Amino acid sequence: MVRFTTITQILQHSWEDVTAAFWQKYPNPFSKHVLSCDVVHRHCDADTQTLRGQRLMTKTNRKPKWMEKWIDNSNVFVLEDAVVDLRKKTMTTFTRNVTLTTYMCVEERTTYRPSEEDPSCTVVTTEARVVSNLFIAPMVERFGAERFKYNNKKATEGLLHVLNLLAGKAEPQPAT
């Protein structure tokens, strides 16, 4: 069985500001589960006016008690590919865990684009796919989908924090 989750949000910030803040969102006080974020590759194509980037993140999350007998380490490596298209004014990210996939795979696709109703706002649509092949797959997938929703909320709060920092409306805070 596979769990799908879709979350759509409207941010009261321009697409240009949101995409600029996206690349600066770690560390922030709302994403303490993100231990590191490293750029693996970045390429600008002047002909197509696109930026392609790949980042590797180390994340940690508290696992539920029932998972402790199978998993000792709660750190996971996550690979994020992003494409910013200046002509179409879209940014699309594809994120997936590259460790602990024996237990659960989480794939996330997020699209950022200006709102058609109000171009000063940005529509963010995130689709997640959670799959497990374990004999307790429904329980693992339910856990993964709920954790995804929780982390998505924290990621949005972190992005908004960075947007406010860039606009001079917030004070930097340590991400301890």
Side-chain angles (χ1 to χ4, degrees):
M1 183 174 203
V2 178
R3 289 233 181 219
F4 293 96
T5 303
T6 301
I7 299 170
T8 300
Q9 305 172 79
I10 298 176
L11 304 181
Q12 304 298 313
H13 297 272
S14 71
W15 177 82
E16 292 82 0
D17 289 346
V18 170
T19 55
F22 171 84
W23 299 103
Q24 302 175 58
K25 72 178 178 179
Y26 301 117
N28 74 68
F30 298 96
S31 294
K32 294 176 185 175
H33 67 287
V34 179
L35 303 177
S36 67
C37 181
D38 299 297
V39 175
V40 175
H41 176 77
R42 192 173 288 157
H43 174 74
C44 292
D45 187 327
D47 295 334
T48 62
Q49 292 190 346
T50 57
L51 166 67
R52 295 182 181 276
Q54 186 175 66
R55 302 192 294 187
L56 180 66
M57 291 170 256
T58 305
K59 297 184 176 186
T60 186
N61 272 307
R62 217 178 92 224
K63 57 189 171 280
K65 288 273 189 219
W66 54 265
M67 264 187 168
E68 288 178 356
K69 68 168 97 170
W70 293 295
I71 303 172
D72 321 352
N73 186 355
S74 60
N75 288 356
V76 63
F77 289 105
V78 175
L79 196 61
E80 172 191 80
D81 292 294
V83 178
V84 179
D85 187 322
L86 293 176
R87 289 183 181 156
K88 294 180 183 175
K89 277 197 165 185
T90 60
M91 179 170 70
T92 304
T93 64
F94 180 71
T95 309
R96 65 203 173 280
N97 62 303
V98 292
T99 55
L100 301 179
T101 56
T102 305
Y103 304 100
M104 177 174 58
C105 294
V106 180
E107 297 173 342
E108 174 185 324
R109 181 178 187 269
T110 303
T111 305
Y112 302 78
R113 61 177 174 74
S115 167
E116 292 176 8
E117 292 80 30
D118 183 354
S120 69
C121 296
T122 302
V123 177
V124 182
T125 303
T126 304
E127 301 162 305
R129 177 180 176 265
V130 181
V131 63
S132 174
N133 293 318
L134 295 176
F135 67 95
I136 56 169
M139 192 163 52
V140 173
E141 291 167 353
R142 188 171 32 257
F143 163 77
E146 291 306 313
R147 179 62 57 90
F148 162 76
K149 290 175 192 173
Y150 175 79
N151 285 344
N152 183 268
K153 181 180 179 210
K154 290 295 187 185
T156 300
E157 290 172 337
L159 182 60
L160 291 172
H161 175 74
V162 172
L163 282 159
N164 287 330
L165 278 175
L166 294 174
K169 297 178 184 175
E171 293 294 320
Q173 297 176 9
T176 58

